[in-house]
Amino acid sequence: MDMYIRVKRSKTTYFIRCKPSDKILDIKQKLQELIDQPAINQRLILPDTGEVLEDSKTLADQRVENDAVVALTLRKDENEFEEVNIVRPNDFYQARDADGANWWYDEIHNCSGNIFKRLIKCRVNDVLVCIILNLLP
Amino acid sequence: MKKEDTVKLISSEGFEFVVDKEAAIVSQTIHNMLTSPGSFAERQHGEVTFPEISTTILEKICQYFYWHLQFASGKETEFSIEPELTLELMMAANYLHT
């Protein structure tokens, strides 16, 4: 496989394997298999720009690259499609207890070296694990 | 691409990721769930729920599955991981044998 894209609608993401030379209609036909909606009822949109992708053009034509996110909207009636709706998770920085692990971050700024060090401590199965990451700005 | 050739992975928050089975079985744990004879419900429904894996982590894992397939076929690119995801990814990767 050459590449894949992530097609998102609401809380669902479809990973679609494809090639840069695939047309948008090809993508819709693959999606048709997964979502039981004919290509004519699908609209694919670049969520950042709102640009609607054209069936007859290729992914490369429309600068859709590997791992890109594309929004899927479905037809509501003869003349109208749904609005883009991609639900975003809010779990990114939340601490959580999983498998009894508790963790926190300490950031240490080393002025002389201008290096951020991110120190991660966690307890997994009663073993204290320390991980030091160096991030060079 | 047929529905039967895909599996739906569901995060702790109920977000769904529909991926190729060929990609998902990069995880030995998922491979076992989908191929062991008879018993797992996951095999029949083509869905696997991970109550302890958050959405952001599960999506990163799915991206890794596809990166792994690309890398194995000779496309050598870097797989980037945000530092704040590192710890949870390690725990999830351990569980998934990935």
Side-chain angles (χ1 to χ4, degrees), chain A residues 2 6 13 91 99 105, chain B residues 16 18 52 56 59 75 84:
Chain A
D2 286 324
R6 292 178 279 160
T13 301
D91 62 345
D99 293 325
Y105 295 143
Chain B
E16 302 173 341
V18 178
E52 293 175 349
T56 300
E59 180 156 23
K75 184 174 182 177
E84 56 270 23

Side-chain angles (χ1 to χ4, degrees), chain A residues 90-103, chain B residues 12-13 51-57 84-85 87-88 91:
Chain A
N90 59 1
D91 62 345
F92 201 77
Y93 279 104
Q94 284 176 356
R96 86 205 71 246
D97 292 330
D99 293 325
N102 296 294
W103 56 268
Chain B
S12 55
E13 294 89 19
E52 293 175 349
I53 302 184
S54 66
T55 302
T56 300
I57 296 298
E84 56 270 23
L85 303 185
L87 174 65
E88 288 186 54
M91 293 168 61

Side-chain angles (χ1 to χ4, degrees), chain B residues 76-89:
Chain B
E76 295 183 10
T77 56
E78 279 191 13
F79 185 74
S80 70
I81 296 176
E82 296 83 348
E84 56 270 23
L85 303 185
T86 302
L87 174 65
E88 288 186 54
L89 270 176

